[in-house]
Amino acid sequence: MNRKKHLIYLMGVLCFLWAPNPFLLSQTTLRYVGSSTVGNFIRDADPFYEPLNFELNTEPESAGGERAILDGQADLAGVANIPCVEALSKGVVSSLIGWDAIGVLVHADLPVKNLTIEQLRDIFSGKITNWKTLGGPDLPVRPFITGIESATHKVFRSLVLGEAAYQNCTEVSPDVDILEKIRTTPGAIGQLSYSFMGDEVSGVRLVSVNGQELSLTNTNYPLTRPLYLLWWPGRRDIAEFVEWVLSPEGQRLVMKRFIGVREGLFLQDAGTGSLVVYTNTFAVEDGGTFFYPHRPYEILSPEHELIMRVSNHLSPNDETPTRVKLPVGSYLIRPESNDPAGQLFFVSIESGKLTRLDVRSHKNGAEPASQPSTEHKEPGQIFYPVGDLRLRGETDFRGDYRRFRGRFRGRAGVNVLLSPALKLNMRLTTTTNPDDPNSPYANFTSGFNQVSIVLDQAALTWQAARPLRFLLGKFSLPFEASGIYSELVWDADVQVEGAAFSLDYANLGPMKKMKWTSGAFLMSSFQSGNTGFWLHAHQGYFEWAFRPDQTLALGSGFLFFQNIKNADVSALTFDANAGNAVYEKLNIAGGDTLFSRHFESDFWLHDNFISWQYAGLPRPLRVKAQWVGNFGATHDRDGYALGLSYGRLNEKGEWRIYYQFQNMGQESVFSPFVQDDFLAQTGYRAHVAGIAYALNAKTSLHLWGLFSKNTLHPEPRATRIRLDLNLKI
């Protein structure tokens, strides 16, 4: 009996398992929140992808989708723009599934067939209010836009309006309702994702933009944006769905409404194009002239994987952004920024064309541009000429002493891009004494026949790998400068000769920059007999962006001058700025005398500075403090400086004012290679102040005064007034 019961029980279980069971056959339902554009694809996919069902909420649009995935209110989110950095930094996974085209629609009775980006900007910013302005009928322009939560609203503004705001526009939500508004409103124009448009749409008409018709095969159409799915890792069912979306079957479904991801992602066999990115600039002082090279940026894949980091300038005085050659495809651009969250920009590279992207006008919170304009590529550029000319009037006062000089300095060179990782920098400069490294100036009264041309720089730079860089040859001391007035320890006109390397890290969370530099240099201009004088230099430099508009920088450098103490340097062919040289009177046969000179101290210099820059004012404000100590000396071995500046000179009409106080002990620095602007090199207290004005981006006037008092001898105060005209070539 028990056996029969067991058999009946077993047969019942098997029947239960074999029979259709609604619980066992039920599908998992995913909560989708986000872009209505991506939602159109999810609706298309629902009947084709059997393992999952979808519950859609597209009312919050892209911004709401990002919030929902972060708050755990959605299993899957869709955004029709580049995902926010907050979501990605917290571990949310993103996957690019395709590109959407934003169409410009007008009422069917309007005869307008094409509009330029500039005309669209004027329409949606309220400047054009009647179609008669554009050759149409005498009819008011009635612009309709999607709701503020819609990615279409934001991306269209970024691509068309730039920094301008929507004006006199009517918001419509949900997005698809714009079709009815345009159809029933004479003179109407609006924006809408192409995914909402079908063959059954009547009463509205698409117009071309910049002469390009909207179609899913026209990659030149200028109003496109990326489409992403977002989800948390660990969900195998969602990962399998995304894998299916990216499969040939899923992409065929995507391409019914959008441009498929396979159309533009690293098509290696489709040729190459070029990219130039105009990033924000930063100030570099080179021999008293300010240059504004473009800041670095990173190129990422659509999956946010780093492809390369671009320095975006070939040398500190190179103000032209670097052209980069890339395979045809789509990329994300992340400029160097004070904001740790950063900002991403979408670009598309086309075969044989140059793509330009200007991110300088996008402030914090602005939407990134996703499709820069393209043009036919210019011939590959290898040589980048650089140069500058300075005309100076200078007056010196010290007691009864007076002197006026008219002087000039000319520098010209070329940066050669030998390969993406290898650069050659060469520069010539004027001088009246080729043996004096401190003075590239010539006096007008000397006559041009007294002017010599010497090799000022000749160096190879090899970017071996991120972040490692090597320098070899004759070049500027590769230290980060303290700013304001930076020549307390090293004269910017003096070039080092030797080899150096640097490790340069960027965007490490709140650490904007971290750099270590080391080098060994032969001081050939200081050579005496068979004695070799060497400089070993090292510097650590750190920048913290503790707020988007504030940066704190800290630099600590070591300069070890080898074989200096007690060395006889009387054979030098120039006066080595004898601030801490010792002169001796020697008696020789016949009663003649000879002055010899040497240095009584070693020079093991420790140069430290801290600076704070604030960008929240109309012009940048910078404050700095600097301390220098010579551990190789026994007395007068310390020096310090305090300074501030306000302004910059990179555009016409800009100006900069500055002031700095410094007190330098006699042995605090090595006088032959420090500044020669003051009428003393060491053992002095001094003030320097000036104002500069940019006549245009390449020309500036600089009026400055240097006031010093010798602390070693009871000499009268010294004053030097200069007026410089600087022209950058």
Side-chain angles (χ1 to χ4, degrees):
M1 186 69 180
N2 288 336
R3 289 182 179 178
K4 289 183 178 180
K5 287 183 178 180
H6 291 159
L7 182 60
I8 293 172
Y9 175 76
L10 179 60
M11 292 176 63
V13 170
L14 292 175
C15 290
F16 175 80
L17 293 174
W18 288 341
N21 192 315
F23 297 100
L24 294 179
L25 296 181
S26 64
Q27 297 170 304
T28 301
T29 298
L30 292 186
R31 297 169 299 165
Y32 170 88
V33 180
S35 164
S36 56
T37 300
V38 179
N40 286 331
F41 166 73
I42 298 296
R43 288 190 184 91
D44 293 343
D46 197 1
F48 287 92
Y49 191 75
E50 295 182 355
L52 296 175
N53 283 329
F54 296 92
E55 178 185 291
L56 274 69
N57 179 10
T58 60
E59 185 175 348
E61 291 292 350
S62 294
E66 289 175 327
R67 288 195 299 269
I69 201 73
L70 287 171
D71 296 340
Q73 301 301 312
D75 302 308
L76 185 67
V79 293
N81 49 240
I82 297 171
C84 69
V85 176
E86 179 187 1
L88 300 178
S89 64
K90 291 184 177 180
V92 173
V93 180
S94 69
S95 186
L96 178 73
I97 65 169
W99 287 270
D100 178 38
I102 300 176
V104 177
L105 302 108
V106 297
H107 189 277
D109 293 339
L110 283 172
V112 178
K113 296 182 179 180
N114 177 71
L115 293 170
T116 66
I117 292 290
E118 291 73 18
Q119 290 170 336
L120 289 173
R121 181 182 303 120
D122 290 344
I123 288 173
F124 285 90
S125 63
K127 292 183 179 179
I128 293 179
T129 58
N130 195 296
W131 286 108
K132 183 170 61 175
T133 306
L134 300 174
D138 186 4
L139 190 66
V141 175
R142 298 289 304 278
F144 292 92
I145 58 176
T146 57
I148 193 170
E149 294 294 321
S150 170
T152 302
H153 177 106
K154 300 173 184 177
V155 174
F156 186 90
R157 176 182 173 180
S158 172
L159 296 176
V160 175
L161 274 69
E163 290 192 310
Y166 289 114
Q167 296 289 341
N168 303 325
C169 299
T170 302
E171 285 193 15
V172 179
S173 184
D175 291 10
V176 69
D177 287 357
I178 276 187
L179 290 171
E180 182 64 17
K181 291 289 186 182
I182 297 174
R183 187 181 68 83
T184 58
T185 307
I189 183 173
Q191 52 181 220
L192 188 64
S193 164
Y194 186 68
S195 65
F196 287 101
M197 304 174 202
D199 296 335
E200 72 281 359
V201 176
S202 61
V204 300
R205 184 167 48 80
L206 280 168
V207 298
S208 299
V209 179
N210 282 353
Q212 299 292 333
E213 292 185 4
L214 191 161
S215 74
L216 298 184
T217 58
N218 182 8
T219 58
N220 292 323
Y221 183 74
L223 305 183
T224 60
R225 52 163 176 191
L227 305 176
Y228 282 88
L229 291 176
L230 307 180
W231 77 96
W232 288 103
R235 289 290 300 269
R236 182 178 178 84
D237 52 351
I238 299 178
E240 289 176 348
F241 169 69
V242 174
E243 185 177 345
W244 174 81
V245 172
L246 298 176
S247 71
E249 181 184 359
Q251 284 293 292
R252 281 194 294 270
L253 191 61
V254 168
M255 287 186 283
K256 288 185 176 181
R257 293 180 183 267
F258 311 110
I259 301 170
V261 71
R262 295 177 178 270
E263 294 295 318
L265 183 58
F266 305 120
L267 302 180
Q268 300 288 347
D269 57 347
T272 60
S274 297
L275 173 67
V276 172
V277 179
Y278 292 85
T279 55
N280 291 323
T281 59
F282 63 101
V284 173
E285 187 177 3
D286 181 6
T289 299
F290 278 92
F291 294 87
Y292 292 89
H294 290 265
R295 288 192 177 277
Y297 65 92
E298 293 176 341
I299 301 176
L300 298 90
S301 72
E303 287 76 28
H304 301 84
E305 296 176 351
L306 179 65
I307 297 173
M308 69 173 71
R309 186 171 189 267
V310 181
S311 64
N312 218 20
H313 52 271
L314 300 182
S315 66
N317 54 10
D318 177 21
E319 296 182 323
T320 303
T322 305
R323 180 178 301 181
V324 179
K325 183 175 289 187
L326 292 168
V328 167
S330 298
Y331 302 86
L332 300 177
I333 304 301
R334 180 165 59 200
E336 182 181 277
S337 169
N338 277 13
D339 186 355
Q343 193 174 13
L344 295 173
F345 296 80
F346 176 77
V347 296
S348 181
I349 302 300
E350 299 179 32
S351 179
K353 291 187 177 181
L354 170 65
T355 298
R356 285 191 172 97
L357 174 65
D358 191 339
V359 303
R360 293 171 296 186
S361 61
H362 293 274
K363 309 298 183 184
N364 289 331
E367 282 295 312
S370 63
Q371 182 66 50
S373 61
T374 57
E375 60 185 48
H376 289 293
K377 187 174 70 175
E378 303 163 13
Q381 187 172 356
I382 299 176
F383 299 95
Y384 295 80
V386 294
D388 63 281
L389 174 66
R390 170 175 292 165
L391 306 178
R392 168 176 289 173
E394 177 180 272
T395 301
D396 296 338
F397 305 90
R398 182 159 53 189
D400 296 331
Y401 173 77
R402 299 285 190 277
R403 180 179 68 173
F404 174 80
R405 293 188 294 180
R407 315 190 78 189
F408 68 92
R409 181 194 67 188
R411 302 185 298 186
V414 62
N415 297 321
V416 185
L417 189 60
L418 301 176
S419 75
L422 188 63
K423 298 175 288 188
L424 172 65
N425 308 110
M426 300 188 68
R427 187 171 71 184
L428 304 175
T429 188
T430 57
T431 184
T432 53
N433 183 359
D435 296 315
D436 186 352
N438 293 75
S439 183
Y441 291 89
N443 297 332
F444 286 114
T445 55
S446 299
F448 286 98
N449 60 330
Q450 301 297 317
V451 178
S452 299
I453 304 296
V454 297
L455 183 64
D456 186 44
Q457 292 183 352
L460 283 171
T461 302
W462 177 37
Q463 191 75 45
R466 183 176 181 261
L468 181 61
R469 184 180 66 158
F470 293 96
L471 295 95
L472 178 66
K474 186 176 184 180
F475 46 89
S476 300
L477 184 69
F479 278 11
E480 297 291 332
S482 63
I484 320 297
Y485 181 82
S486 305
E487 300 187 30
L488 300 184
V489 175
W490 192 268
D491 191 327
D493 288 323
V494 179
Q495 313 299 318
V496 294
E497 300 176 37
F501 77 90
S502 65
L503 292 167
D504 192 350
Y505 297 89
N507 297 326
L508 302 176
M511 182 77 71
K512 179 181 175 183
K513 184 173 185 176
M514 182 170 64
K515 180 180 178 182
W516 176 264
T517 303
S518 290
F521 313 109
L522 177 65
M523 296 182 288
S524 61
S525 59
F526 208 69
Q527 204 77 1
S528 177
N530 295 323
T531 303
F533 294 96
W534 286 84
L535 167 64
H536 301 275
H538 314 274
Q539 187 195 51
Y541 178 79
F542 309 88
E543 279 188 21
W544 289 272
F546 54 92
R547 286 185 55 182
D549 58 357
Q550 297 185 45
T551 301
L552 186 69
L554 175 65
S556 183
F558 301 87
L559 295 92
F560 302 95
F561 293 88
Q562 184 180 351
N563 299 329
I564 295 297
K565 186 176 181 179
N566 295 324
D568 180 8
V569 291
S570 59
L572 289 179
T573 57
F574 68 97
D575 182 6
N577 287 350
N580 43 28
V582 177
Y583 286 77
E584 296 178 353
K585 185 176 182 180
L586 303 178
N587 294 316
I588 60 175
D592 295 329
T593 60
L594 177 69
F595 285 92
S596 178
R597 56 190 170 194
H598 71 275
F599 293 87
E600 67 176 20
S601 296
D602 283 316
F603 290 90
W604 308 332
L605 306 185
H606 190 193
D607 179 22
N608 304 273
F609 67 86
I610 184 171
S611 70
W612 171 73
Q613 181 163 307
Y614 179 55
L617 300 172
R619 293 173 175 82
L621 171 68
R622 184 167 186 165
V623 180
K624 79 129 184 209
Q626 185 175 4
W627 170 78
V628 183
N630 179 12
F631 295 152
T634 58
H635 64 90
D636 295 323
R637 66 182 193 177
D638 296 305
Y640 66 89
L642 301 170
L644 61 88
S645 68
Y646 180 70
R648 57 186 295 159
L649 301 172
N650 62 323
E651 295 179 2
K652 179 181 179 180
E654 292 282 9
W655 50 268
R656 176 180 181 264
I657 58 174
Y658 64 94
Y659 166 79
Q660 181 167 300
F661 169 78
Q662 52 222 36
N663 188 342
M664 306 302 295
Q666 183 183 20
E667 302 295 306
S668 61
V669 293
F670 187 45
S671 61
F673 295 131
V674 301
Q675 55 76 28
D676 59 353
D677 297 315
F678 293 95
L679 295 177
Q681 282 67 55
T682 65
Y684 69 95
R685 285 192 300 271
H687 309 265
V688 55
I691 181 170
Y693 178 79
L695 302 175
N696 55 49
K698 299 294 184 182
T699 309
S700 64
L701 282 172
H702 181 199
L703 175 65
W704 52 313
L706 306 104
F707 314 93
S708 58
K709 173 66 176 176
N710 195 312
T711 58
L712 304 175
H713 308 288
E715 297 178 352
R717 294 181 181 274
T719 300
R720 172 171 280 175
I721 304 296
R722 287 173 170 171
L723 178 62
D724 294 340
L725 175 64
N726 298 310
L727 301 96
K728 294 182 289 188
I729 303 171

